[in-house]
Amino acid sequence: MSYPHQMMAADPHDRAALHRTDDAWLDERWADPASRVLVVSGTRIRPVEGRVEWVAPAEAPEGLRVLLGEWEGRAWFAVVTDAGLSRQGEGWVPLRGLLPSLADDALAYAPLVFHALGLAEWLFVTRFCPRCAGDLEPRKSGHELVCTRCGKAQFPRTDPAVIMVVAHGEPGSDDERCLLGRQSVWPEGRFSTLAGFCEPGESLEDAVRREVLEETGVRVGEVTYFGNQPWPLPASLMVGFTARATSTAIEVDHDELEDARWFTRAEMREQAESGSLVLPGGDSISRSLVAHWSGGPLPGHW
């Protein structure tokens, strides 16, 4: 069974990391009109008619040139400018606002766009050296920042977050139930899988057990890896798991969650069909986890 989140990384580009310091190679590719460039203003891009716009290098504005890599026989870059462009015109959106466009014929560009905007987010927030507060200078086609004062290098960071579908009962039985939660800021009826960031010195499996217990009071035993999805919003890697609950009593923390409930497969399908239960979007690993547990596609999504 193929899952929705896998489509977001079905055809990844060659990141060509060995060419990031090869000035002759970079200049040659930049001079090639077949190369393509994504213009990023701060951390935003401007879709055209709902599609991601890639321009020739000659059409790109001045800014930091970021090598994304090679794909389909050509080189792909991003040019990261300051936020001035996005302040001057309409239609500039962050990655979250772009996701609906990536869910159609632009889906093939998702790995390139995630790469570009993930780096842009990192460059936007990493302004000074954390050791001495000196200025930072970009190297390696935007994939490294080096302090001009103390020489310490900074690299893009990715924060691992666990996301899990928690089940209780005999696997596959009519009585087996799945645990979903909702945040208070979400529209009525919206529920999703639980998730949270991994803490220092903690295994991913233990992060699953801790997050479920903290948010819902439910204890988890067995934890099994499911898959992962890059999620640069702004810098996460969602690591998916299936988990078996050893308790069922729910005590919502009311800090991260407003509500949490158990659903049988029949209840989930009936409520999804009626619209009283709104499940995660089709491009997320959360949707894939729910589909995996339910045994097939379900109607409706965010």
Side-chain angles (χ1 to χ4, degrees), residues 56-80:
E59 300 171 352
E62 290 296 319
L64 175 62
R65 296 180 187 177
V66 174
L67 173 65
L68 302 176
E70 294 184 299
W71 184 60
E72 293 191 335
R74 64 176 75 184
W76 299 74
F77 295 85
V79 166
V80 181

Side-chain angles (χ1 to χ4, degrees), residues 275-288:
S276 60
L277 172 63
V278 184
L279 295 167
D283 53 6
S284 69
I285 193 171
S286 181
R287 181 72 175 201
S288 296

